[in-house]
Amino acid sequence: MDNIQATADGDGRQRILAAAEKLFSDKAFDAVSMSAIACAAGISKANIYHYFPNKDTLYLAVLRMASHNLRAVLNEAVSAHGSVMDVLRHFAHNHLQALLKKPELVRLVWREILEKGAPRAQEFAEQGFADMFSALVDVLKLGQTRGEFRQDFDPALVATLLLGANVFFFQSRDIFRHYPPITFADDPAGYDAGIVEILLRGLVPATS
């Protein structure tokens, strides 16, 4: 009986999170009510408070789920490859695909940061995005330790460049389509491959 209840609780929570992610992405945080989320999830408004005491807690849970998904992308890359360079290639490709798969959610995150500033940014970091970034930095440090990469660069700076390149592509893709010299606007895989290779050329030790 306890297992059945736990499964039901887990299913209810997931339905709420899925409904909240879609509504927050479609309408923005301030425009979404707990009643609307409960209706979309197919549960009563009273029951939604069994899982989440208020809308802000639910919103942060949606962000935490998103950050866990990105961490899973990195973990998958680490598990699939022995070379740190191959890990970076794998992660960069799948990180950009994750952004492009859920554009409304990504735009919601940036809109919230721009409109609500530092306090909201701190909340986002604390939901797991900072941990994911630190894990990526650790992968780069491993490359340095193994001798795959030079010792004289800041891994956090490279992690910022890698993630920033993907975010910039996500934000600017529609504009890129109207720049005649750009041929990669509709080729995110080719874009990522090129970005990573350029970065790697600067990271690998010089050969004599």
Side-chain angles (χ1 to χ4, degrees), residues 100 169 173-174 176-178 182-191:
L100 296 173
F169 180 89
R173 189 181 187 188
D174 289 339
F176 286 164
R177 291 190 176 102
H178 302 285
I182 289 181
T183 59
F184 51 72
D186 293 305
D187 181 19
Y191 168 85

Side-chain angles (χ1 to χ4, degrees), residues 11 40 49 146 170-171 175 192 208:
D11 289 345
Y49 289 104
R146 289 179 175 178
F170 170 85
Q171 292 176 326
I175 300 174
D192 251 334
S208 55

Side-chain angles (χ1 to χ4, degrees), residues 5-22:
Q5 183 61 45
T7 300
D9 284 346
D11 289 345
R13 179 182 173 86
Q14 287 306 117
R15 281 161 51 202
I16 293 167
L17 286 169
E21 178 183 315
K22 185 175 189 319

Side-chain angles (χ1 to χ4, degrees), residues 133 136-137 140 154-166:
F133 182 84
L136 179 58
V137 170
L140 289 158
D154 180 355
L157 177 59
V158 174
T160 301
L161 290 171
L162 183 61
L163 296 174
N166 278 349

Side-chain angles (χ1 to χ4, degrees), residues 69-80:
N69 290 342
L70 290 178
R71 179 63 182 268
V73 168
L74 180 59
N75 291 343
E76 176 189 327
V78 171
S79 298

Side-chain angles (χ1 to χ4, degrees), residues 5 37-38 40 49 57-58 60-61 68 103 113 141 163 178 192 197:
Q5 183 61 45
I37 295 170
Y49 289 104
T57 301
L58 174 53
L60 293 177
H68 287 171
I113 292 174
K141 288 180 178 178
L163 296 174
H178 302 285
D192 251 334
E197 291 309 313

Side-chain angles (χ1 to χ4, degrees), residues 16 32 39 44 52-53 59-60 97 102-103 111 139 155 164 172:
I16 293 167
V32 177
C39 182
S44 68
F52 303 98
Y59 180 60
L60 293 177
Q97 291 303 315
K102 295 191 174 181
R111 184 165 60 242
V139 169
S172 305

